[in-house]
Amino acid sequence: MDKCLCAQNIYKSYKDNCVLSGLNLTLEPGKIYGLLGRNGAGKTTLLGVLTAQNRLDSGSVTYGGEPVWENRRALDDICFSRELSGANLSGQNTFKISFYLKAASMFYKHWDGEYAEKLLEEFHLDPDKQICKLSKGQMSMVTIVLGLASRAPLTIFDEPVSGLDVVMRERFYRLLLDDYAETGRTFVVSTHIIEEAAGAFEEVIFLDGGRIIEKAPTEELISQFAYISGLEREVQKAAAGLQVLNRSSIGARTVYAVRGVKPGFRPDADVDVTPMNLQKVFVTMCGHGEEM
Amino acid sequence: MKLDLSDQALIYMQIAQMLEDDILRGAYREDEQVPSTNELARAYNINPATAAKGINLLVADGILYKRRGIGMFVAAGAGEAIRSKRREAFAEKYVTPLLQEGAALGLSRDDIIEMIRSKGESENG
């Protein structure tokens, strides 16, 4: 339970496309991490290599100091609940939900069948239904059931809420937090729906350009950022000594997105200071100017 | 019931502020128990670590105290501690923006003082 997952200098390419390039990451036990990255940033690839489902080109991934690759002891503790697909190599995915549960019960050492049953009921899922007959939201629910009921000390969800409506998304985070309060196990959740998840994440991880560009306690990170707006001269004065990540203007009003703000920031200039939320921080850091 | 926090302020600060407001309102009296970290986390769908941070802020200010294995309780003199803390922040939080906005509108100090006086009288009377 008290083991770290540690990726050191990992590289992974698909043909000419270098997805992960010299990435370092340490996941400490007992936290809920949010993994955020834009489309194609390599989130799923990263999660795949962290859990030894995809092979690395170079670098190392260890759990409790042992390599994870083909290491049963490490993998007993790790669950990566991938997105399901209605199609597979042979055509439609005609396996039933119950088949996935059976497989999971054999594969995951800490599997909790009773909990899985309870979750199926909660989501109104019929175990006899075939995967290809499920809606996108129901497929997401199956991955959530598999991940939660795995009871794995390190459980990873890839876009668990992507197909869910807003009510079910809230229910997912509620279930996650309930389970976390009970077990204190480690979770990693990747998502594009940032703001409503922000409160659940103790730490956030930003993946961009094949590397981790930020990993920090969520609120500590957010509090460093702000928008400063007003007349350009005043904004410049207020932003002195701060890192300016983005400049924009509308009419005579200039807006700087800045980092390095201290608590109680009150610049000696005629400007407005507006805090950012996690989504704005993410766009500011990973938008690369495309946001304007 | 789903409770909502604004996304404008840091969540743990909002948690601390809400508990303070409830203590000032008399919802929790001295030596009464306040909701636990897990209860707060559940009510607001937030990470327990964040809720704990809000609670710890109040412990550091002497507003809550911990009874090992039981929970968090309102300290003696908590109401007064909150009031004196907020009085100290009052000028910065309310008076400074008031003067700034007044200056931008061309109101003199005397204009503003007069407004406060007449507003105060109409609210009291």
Side-chain angles (χ1 to χ4, degrees):
Chain A
M1 214 52 166
D2 47 357
K3 290 176 182 165
C4 286
L5 185 80
C6 197
Q8 278 182 313
N9 201 26
I10 57 176
Y11 283 82
K12 175 76 184 173
S13 301
Y14 295 105
K15 295 204 177 124
D16 294 340
N17 182 18
C18 180
V19 183
L20 305 176
S21 73
L23 180 145
N24 292 297
L25 177 66
T26 300
L27 299 176
E28 291 131 34
K31 288 185 179 173
I32 302 179
Y33 290 96
L35 175 65
L36 309 181
R38 297 185 58 189
N39 290 326
K43 294 186 295 295
T44 304
T45 302
L46 171 62
L47 298 176
V49 298
L50 288 181
T51 54
Q53 294 193 6
N54 299 21
R55 194 182 270 280
L56 279 171
D57 296 344
S58 66
S60 72
V61 176
T62 56
Y63 179 74
E66 296 178 23
V68 295
W69 189 255
E70 293 186 342
N71 178 352
R72 188 69 235 179
R73 195 156 42 156
L75 295 178
D76 271 345
D77 274 5
I78 301 175
C79 166
F80 176 25
S81 193
R82 275 177 181 272
E83 280 189 279
L84 292 175
S85 168
N88 57 23
L89 290 177
S90 54
Q92 288 198 317
N93 185 348
T94 54
F95 288 118
K96 291 176 177 172
I97 294 177
S98 56
F99 170 84
Y100 276 83
L101 295 179
K102 185 112 193 295
S105 74
M106 292 189 285
F107 190 77
Y108 297 121
K109 191 178 153 206
H110 307 274
W111 178 255
D112 185 339
E114 242 173 75
Y115 186 33
E117 297 281 326
K118 217 182 92 193
L119 290 166
L120 284 182
E121 251 172 63
E122 172 125 20
F123 289 131
H124 307 295
L125 288 173
D126 173 5
D128 287 329
K129 217 159 175 188
Q130 296 173 338
I131 297 296
C132 61
K133 300 270 166 63
L134 299 178
S135 71
K136 187 156 191 305
Q138 288 173 320
M139 283 190 217
S140 293
M141 290 173 200
V142 174
T143 68
I144 289 167
V145 173
L146 295 173
L148 286 176
S150 78
R151 295 277 192 198
L154 172 60
T155 299
I156 298 177
F157 291 104
D158 191 14
E159 291 286 348
V161 301
S162 63
L164 300 183
D165 68 36
V166 61
V167 175
M168 293 314 286
R169 294 204 295 271
E170 287 197 355
R171 186 168 303 171
F172 165 68
Y173 286 109
R174 164 74 39 101
L175 286 167
L176 182 76
L177 286 166
D178 280 351
D179 187 80
Y180 175 72
E182 199 180 308
T183 63
R185 59 188 165 129
T186 312
F187 288 103
V188 180
V189 179
S190 82
T191 183
H192 286 297
I193 305 173
I194 297 176
E195 215 32 55
E196 61 189 35
F201 300 149
E202 183 168 351
E203 289 199 17
V204 283
I205 299 163
F206 289 179
L207 177 65
D208 190 51
R211 290 167 185 250
I212 304 301
I213 61 159
E214 190 62 66
K215 174 175 175 283
T218 312
E219 300 223 300
E220 221 174 283
L221 180 71
I222 295 170
S223 65
Q224 297 168 15
F225 288 78
Y227 292 112
I228 304 177
S229 60
L231 297 177
E232 175 140 37
R233 188 165 39 87
E234 295 292 315
V235 173
Q236 274 176 4
K237 202 163 100 183
L242 300 173
Q243 187 187 354
V244 180
L245 295 155
N246 196 298
R247 293 178 168 84
S248 61
S249 57
I250 171 164
R253 177 177 275 253
T254 296
V255 185
Y256 282 10
V258 297
R259 179 172 194 179
V261 171
K262 297 264 183 314
F265 176 62
R266 200 175 289 265
D268 184 21
D270 183 16
V271 293
D272 296 325
V273 178
T274 323
M276 286 192 199
N277 57 27
L278 182 61
Q279 180 156 322
K280 299 289 186 200
V281 170
F282 176 74
V283 170
T284 300
M285 289 191 70
C286 301
H288 304 299
E290 289 172 42
E291 67 272 26
M292 284 301 151
Chain B
M1 183 181 54
K2 161 80 173 121
L3 300 165
D4 251 315
L5 297 167
S6 106
D7 59 2
Q8 282 302 311
L10 295 177
I11 295 170
Y12 75 93
M13 305 273 273
Q14 294 186 61
I15 293 290
Q17 170 123 23
M18 257 177 335
L19 287 169
E20 284 185 358
D21 287 344
D22 287 344
I23 291 168
L24 285 181
R25 281 191 199 114
Y28 306 112
R29 294 177 198 288
E30 289 180 11
D31 296 316
E32 261 184 25
Q33 190 168 7
V34 299
S36 69
T37 300
N38 280 342
E39 284 167 341
L40 289 169
R42 205 177 145 65
Y44 294 101
N45 248 6
I46 56 173
N47 193 292
T50 311
K53 212 170 155 190
I55 283 188
N56 289 338
L57 211 60
L58 297 182
V59 172
D61 285 345
I63 291 160
L64 297 180
Y65 67 94
K66 185 176 186 167
R67 276 198 208 156
R68 213 161 259 292
I70 305 177
M72 306 303 302
F73 291 80
V74 178
E80 194 42 44
I82 295 165
R83 271 188 287 272
S84 96
K85 185 171 80 167
R86 291 201 182 176
R87 270 188 215 115
E88 278 172 41
F90 185 80
E92 183 79 352
K93 195 171 167 193
Y94 296 97
V95 182
T96 306
L98 181 83
L99 293 176
Q100 276 172 352
E101 178 73 1
L105 300 178
L107 294 168
S108 74
R109 296 285 153 93
D110 287 340
D111 292 338
I112 294 171
I113 290 166
E114 184 45 40
M115 274 184 201
I116 293 171
R117 187 172 293 130
S118 70
K119 188 79 183 157
E121 275 162 14
S122 71
E123 302 245 310
N124 289 335

